[in-house]
Each structure stands twice: as C-alpha cells, then as structure tokens.
C-alpha cells in the first residue's frame, strides 16, 4: 500500500500519550494512528462503545451491590 505523510499539531500531552500507547502496542505512531482512524471509520469504535454501554446497563445492579458492600464494610471499620 502506498504511504503518504500527514502533519498535525496536537498538544504535547496528546503527542506523548500517542507515543506511549503506540510503544505499548509495539506499533509506530503512524501505525497506531492508522489503526485508530480505521477503527473509527469502520464503526468498530462506535460498536465497542455501544456494547460497553449495554453491558453496563444490563449489569448495573451487580455493580451497585458491590459498591454498596464496600461502603458498608468501610463504615464498620471507621469507628
């Protein structure tokens, strides 16, 4: 596949995050950015967010119960 060069100005923090995340994944920054764009354009990112939203909605009671249990235990030890 032919390659082209893009230029973009981003905050220093964003650039550092991109470099770190690319390194964590064993990718160059260009490969990492290409993957992000392809995932976004294909709808993969939107589908993943929708799936996570559905999961959280379906299991909210479990999370609430676990959180309530943590608060109850923490309160008993506070005295």
């Amino acid at each position: 596949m032919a390659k082209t060069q893009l230029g973009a100005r981003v905050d220093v923090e964003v650039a550092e995050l991109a470099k770190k995340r690319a390194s964590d994944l064993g990718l160059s920054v260009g490969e990492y950015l290409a993957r992000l764009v392809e995932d976004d354009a294909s709808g993969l990112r939107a589908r993943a967010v929708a799936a996570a939203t559905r999961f959280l909605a379906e299991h909210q009671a479990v999370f609430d119960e676990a959180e309530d249990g943590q608060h109850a235990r923490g309160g008993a030890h506070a005295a």
Side-chain angles (χ1 to χ4, degrees):
M1 176 184 282
K3 303 278 184 182
T4 188
Q5 184 171 342
L6 300 174
R9 292 185 184 276
V10 297
D11 291 337
V12 171
E13 295 83 8
V14 172
E16 292 303 318
L17 283 171
K19 290 175 187 175
K20 171 89 172 79
R21 191 67 184 122
S23 176
D24 291 346
L25 295 170
L27 302 171
S28 69
V29 173
E31 291 166 331
Y32 175 62
L33 294 176
R35 181 183 285 186
L36 289 177
V37 170
E38 289 168 352
D39 289 351
D40 182 51
S42 72
L44 178 63
R45 180 170 160 58
R47 289 192 306 272
V49 169
T53 301
R54 282 192 311 276
F55 176 84
L56 290 173
E58 292 170 7
H59 298 89
Q60 188 62 52
V62 174
F63 295 118
D64 290 343
E65 184 178 314
E67 188 173 315
D68 289 345
Q70 288 179 344
H71 289 305
R73 283 192 302 273
H77 297 288

